[in-house]
C-alpha cells in the first residue's frame, strides 16, 4: 500500500544498518541523509528475517491499518493518561496543601515526582519494548499504574503522596513511550507527522476535561476522590489495551541483547547531532508548558482570585487552542510546508508570548487583570500545537531500528527538563507570577537556540520529500 513518506510494510525487509549474521543480504547505509543516525558498530544489529515473504509482512501491517481507527483511539488514550493524571489533580493543589498541612512548594513536588517518574520510567520501558515487543511491557506498566494510583488516594502525608506519585509516574511511562513506538512501527514520513497531530487531537481532550472533572469531583468529595476516579480510568484503559491493542513489533525486528546493547543504542542516538537537537528543543518547549501547568493553579486562583471552576474553564480553553493549532498543523501544513519552517514559527510565537507574560507580571504595563494574562497563556499554549508534534516527528524520522529507545529518550528529556522547571515556578512564593514567566522565557529562548544551533534546518532545505 503506497503512502507518502513510505510505510512500514514497504521498508520492513530492508536492514536498517548492518545485517544479521547468517544472512546473505548486503549491508545498506543508514536511513536518511548523510547526517542521519549511525549506530555503534559494536552493537548487535536487528534486521527483518531474511526468508520472510514481503507479502506476508505487508498483509500483517495492512491488517493493522484496517483497524487504524481503533488503534488511534487506544494510542490516544495511552497518550492522554499523563495529562489526565496531572490535570485532574491541578484544581485540588490548594486543597491538598491545607489537608496535609504542607507548604505549597512541597505539594508541587507531587507534580515533580510524577513527572520525574514518567521520565525515568521511559528509559526502562523503551528498551524493554524493543526487546520483548510493545504489548507485554505496556500491560505490566498499566497494572502497576492502577495499584499506585489507588494507594495515592489513601496517602496520609505529603511525603507518602510524593512517593506514590513517583511510582505512578514510573508505571504510567509505559503508555507514553510505547504509544510513540507503535506509531513509529506503523508509519513513516508525512503519515507519521499527521498521525502525531491526530494523537494530539485525542490526547488533547484530556487537558480540557480533566480539570473540569477534577473541579466537579471536588464539589462532592475531597482531593482523594480524584485519585479514585483516576484508578477507574486506569482499569478501563488496561482492559482496552489487553483486548484490542495487538503487537506491532515483528519478532525478527526485536533486539536480543541486554542492558549493554540498550546503552549502546542510546549512545548511537545521542551521537546524532540533529536527533539530539530536536530532542532537547522538544524538552525545553515542554518545560515552558509544564511551568504553566505547575504555576497556573496558584496564579489563576490565588493571585487573581478565580474559582476552581473558572480555572478549569480557562485551562480547557487553552487546551482547545493547542488542539486546534495541532489539527491545522496535521491537516493543512504537513506535506505542504517544511516541518522545520512550521516548527520555527511556533517557537518564535512561544518566545513572544512568554516575553509578553513576563512584561505583564513584572508590572511594565501597570497592574493587569486576569484577562490579559489569560490571553497570553492562550497564545503560548496554542503554539505548542506545532512545536510538540513536529519535534517528535522530525526526531523519530531519523531512526527506524530502535523506535522504543528513541521514544524513551524523547520522553525522558522532556519530562526531566519539565521536572526541573516545576519547582522553580514557586521559588518566590504564591503571591507572584514572575517566576513562572521567567522560567518560560528562559526555556523558550533556549529551545530556539537548540533548534538553530543543533538542528540547523537551513542545511537540509529541499533534501527531504514532502516538505520534510
Amino acid at each position: 500500500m503506497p503512502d507518502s513518506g513510505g510505510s512500514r510494510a514497504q521498508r520492513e525487509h530492508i536492514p536498517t544498518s548492518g545485517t544479521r549474521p547468517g544472512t546473505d543480504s548486503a549491508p545498506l547505509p543508514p536511513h536518511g541523509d548523510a547526517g542521519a543516525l549511525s549506530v555503534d558498530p559494536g552493537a548487535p544489529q536487528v534486521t527483518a528475517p531474511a526468508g520472510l515473504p514481503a507479502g506476508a509482512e505487508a498483509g500483517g501491517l495492512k491488517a493493522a491499518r484496517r483497524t487504524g481507527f481503533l488503534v488511534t483511539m487506544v494510542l490516544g488514550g495511552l497518550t492522554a493518561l499523563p495529562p489526565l493524571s496531572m490535570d485532574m489533580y491541578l484544581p485540588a493543589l490548594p486543597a491538598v496543601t491545607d489537608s496535609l498541612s504542607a507548604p505549597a512548594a512541597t505539594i508541587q513536588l507531587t507534580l515533580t515526582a510524577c513527572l520525574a517518574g514518567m521520565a525515568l520510567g521511559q528509559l526502562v520501558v523503551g528498551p524493554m519494548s524493543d526487546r520483548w515487543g510493545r504489548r507485554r511491557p505496556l500491560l505490566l506498566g498499566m497494572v502497576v499504574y492502577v495499584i499506585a494510583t489507588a494507594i495515592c488516594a489513601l496517602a496520609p502525608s505529603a511525603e507518602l503522596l510524593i512517593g506514590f506519585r513517583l511510582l505512578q509516574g514510573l508505571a504510567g511511562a509505559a503508555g507514553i513511550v510505547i504509544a510513540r513506538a507503535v506509531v513509529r512501527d506503523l508509519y513513516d514520513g508525512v503519515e507519521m507527522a499527521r498521525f502525531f497531530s491526530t494523537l494530539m487531537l485525542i490526547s488533547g481532550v484530556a487537558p480540557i476535561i480533566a480539570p473540569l472533572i477534577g473541579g466537579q469531583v471536588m464539589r462532592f468529595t475531597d482531593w482523594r476522590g480524584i485519585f479514585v476516579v483516576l484508578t477507574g480510568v486506569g482499569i478501563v484503559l488496561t482492559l482496552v489495551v489487553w483486548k484490542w491493542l495487538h503487537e506491532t513489533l515483528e519478532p525478527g525486528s526485536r533486539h536480543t541483547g541486554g542492558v549493554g546493547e540498550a546503552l549502546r543504542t542510546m549512545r548511537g542516538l545521542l551521537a546524532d547531532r540533529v536527533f539530539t537537537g530536536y530532542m532537547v528543543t522538544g524538552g525545553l518547549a515542554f518545560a515552558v508548558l509544564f511551568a504553566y501547568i505547575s504555576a497556573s493553579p496558584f496564579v489563576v486562583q490565588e493571585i487573581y482570585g478565580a474559582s476552581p471552576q473558572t480555572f478549569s474553564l480557562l485551562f480547557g480553553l487553552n487546551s482547545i487552542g493547542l488542539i486546534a493549532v495541532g489539527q491545522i498543523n496535521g491537516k493543512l501544513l504537513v506535506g505542504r510546508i517544511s516541518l522545520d519552517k512550521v516548527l520555527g514559527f511556533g517557537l518564535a510565537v512561544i518566545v513572544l508570548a512568554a516575553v509578553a507574560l513576563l512584561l505583564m507580571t513584572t508590572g511594565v504595563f501597570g497592574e493587569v487583570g486576569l484577562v490579559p494574562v489569560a490571553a497570553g497563556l492562550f497564545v503560548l499554549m496554542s503554539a505548542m500545537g506545532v512545536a510538540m508534534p513536529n519535534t517528535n516527528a522530525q526526531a523519530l524520522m531519523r531512526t527506524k531500528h530502535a523506535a522504543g529507545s528513541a521514544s524513551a529518550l524523547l520522553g525522558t528529556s522532556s519530562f526531566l527538563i519539565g521536572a526541573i522547571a516545576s519547582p522553580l515556578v514557586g521559588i518566590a512564593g504564591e503571591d507572584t507570577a514572575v517566576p513562572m514567566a521567567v522560567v518560560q522565557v528562559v526555556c523558550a529562548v533556549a529551545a530556539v537556540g537548540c533548534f538553530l544551533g543543533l538542528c540547523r534546518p537551513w542545511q537540509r532545505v529541499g533534501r527531504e520529500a514532502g516538505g520534510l
Side-chain angles (χ1 to χ4, degrees):
M1 185 175 70
D3 57 23
S4 52
S7 70
R8 175 70 186 266
Q10 293 169 316
R11 57 183 166 83
E12 184 75 24
H13 197 59
I14 301 176
T16 56
S17 82
T19 59
R20 172 178 292 181
T23 68
D24 55 1
S25 301
L28 293 177
H31 166 70
D33 58 87
L37 170 67
S38 61
V39 183
D40 188 333
Q45 302 302 315
V46 179
T47 63
L52 186 63
E57 292 179 349
L61 286 165
K62 284 179 180 178
R65 296 292 183 90
R66 284 196 295 270
T67 59
F69 176 76
L70 183 58
V71 169
T72 301
M73 296 303 294
V74 175
L75 296 183
L78 293 173
T79 310
L81 191 61
L84 197 64
S85 302
M86 294 284 186
D87 299 340
M88 275 186 65
Y89 180 62
L90 293 180
L93 282 178
V96 177
T97 301
D98 296 335
S99 173
L100 299 181
S101 302
T106 300
I107 297 304
Q108 282 178 326
L109 287 176
T110 61
L111 293 175
T112 303
C114 186
L115 195 65
M118 290 180 181
L120 297 175
Q122 291 183 69
L123 284 178
V124 177
V125 177
M128 283 175 59
S129 73
D130 283 337
R131 182 175 182 183
W132 290 301
R134 314 302 186 199
R135 183 176 164 83
R136 284 186 290 174
L138 177 57
L139 286 171
L140 176 62
M142 292 302 302
V143 170
V144 177
Y145 172 87
V146 169
I147 295 172
T149 305
I151 296 176
C152 283
L154 306 174
S157 67
E159 291 76 17
L160 286 176
L161 181 60
I162 291 170
F164 284 113
R165 286 283 277 176
L166 176 65
L167 180 59
Q168 182 191 42
L170 287 168
I176 310 168
V177 68
I178 292 179
R180 277 195 302 264
V182 169
V183 174
R184 189 64 184 96
D185 290 340
L186 298 177
Y187 298 96
D188 201 355
V190 171
E191 281 197 351
M192 182 168 60
R194 286 176 175 157
F195 197 94
F196 275 125
S197 293
T198 301
L199 280 187
M200 180 164 287
L201 170 63
I202 300 170
S203 63
V205 173
I208 296 175
I209 65 173
L212 296 174
I213 294 174
Q216 295 305 311
V217 170
M218 294 285 290
R219 296 180 62 181
F220 300 100
T221 182
D222 62 6
W223 60 270
R224 298 180 189 276
I226 293 176
F227 287 106
V228 173
V229 173
L230 284 173
T231 301
V233 172
I235 292 172
V236 171
L237 191 54
T238 302
L239 294 175
V240 169
V241 168
W242 176 75
K243 184 171 178 61
W244 282 298
L245 185 63
H246 303 294
E247 184 59 60
T248 61
L249 185 64
E250 299 289 340
S253 298
R254 299 176 189 177
H255 290 195
T256 57
V259 175
E261 181 189 351
L263 293 177
R264 284 192 294 269
T265 299
M266 289 186 177
R267 184 177 66 185
L269 290 164
L270 294 174
D272 178 15
R273 170 180 51 79
V274 180
F275 174 87
T276 301
Y278 286 118
M279 179 187 73
V280 178
T281 298
L284 289 167
F286 186 82
V288 176
L289 173 65
F290 201 73
Y292 158 75
I293 292 175
S294 297
S296 59
F298 296 98
V299 170
V300 174
Q301 296 180 75
E302 301 295 328
I303 297 176
Y304 292 99
S307 66
Q309 287 72 33
T310 300
F311 163 73
S312 300
L313 176 62
L314 292 176
F315 198 94
L317 289 174
N318 291 340
S319 299
I320 290 174
L322 185 150
I323 293 171
V325 173
Q327 292 313 291
I328 292 173
N329 176 70
K331 304 298 183 184
L332 301 180
L333 302 181
V334 170
R336 295 180 175 88
I337 303 175
S338 164
L339 290 186
D340 281 327
K341 290 181 180 179
V342 179
L343 175 57
F345 175 78
L347 292 174
V349 173
I350 291 171
V351 170
L352 292 175
V355 170
L357 286 167
L358 180 60
L359 295 176
M360 283 188 285
T361 56
T362 53
V364 171
F365 301 130
E367 187 174 347
V368 298
L370 177 59
V371 173
V373 172
L377 291 172
F378 177 81
V379 173
L380 184 146
M381 280 283 285
S382 297
M384 293 291 174
V386 294
M388 296 173 66
N390 290 347
T391 51
N392 282 336
Q394 288 285 64
L396 286 173
M397 275 191 281
R398 298 187 66 82
T399 174
K400 292 182 178 181
H401 70 289
S405 296
S407 177
L409 288 173
L410 289 172
T412 297
S413 62
S414 295
F415 281 85
L416 281 180
I417 297 173
I420 294 171
S422 174
L424 297 178
V425 300
I427 199 169
E430 305 173 26
D431 300 324
T432 175
V434 172
M436 177 192 74
V438 169
V439 170
Q440 289 174 331
V441 169
V442 170
C443 291
V445 172
V448 172
C450 286
F451 176 60
L452 297 177
L454 295 178
C455 301
R456 301 175 190 174
W458 60 86
Q459 295 182 349
R460 302 190 311 282
V461 173
R463 282 206 312 218
E464 289 143 334
L468 295 172

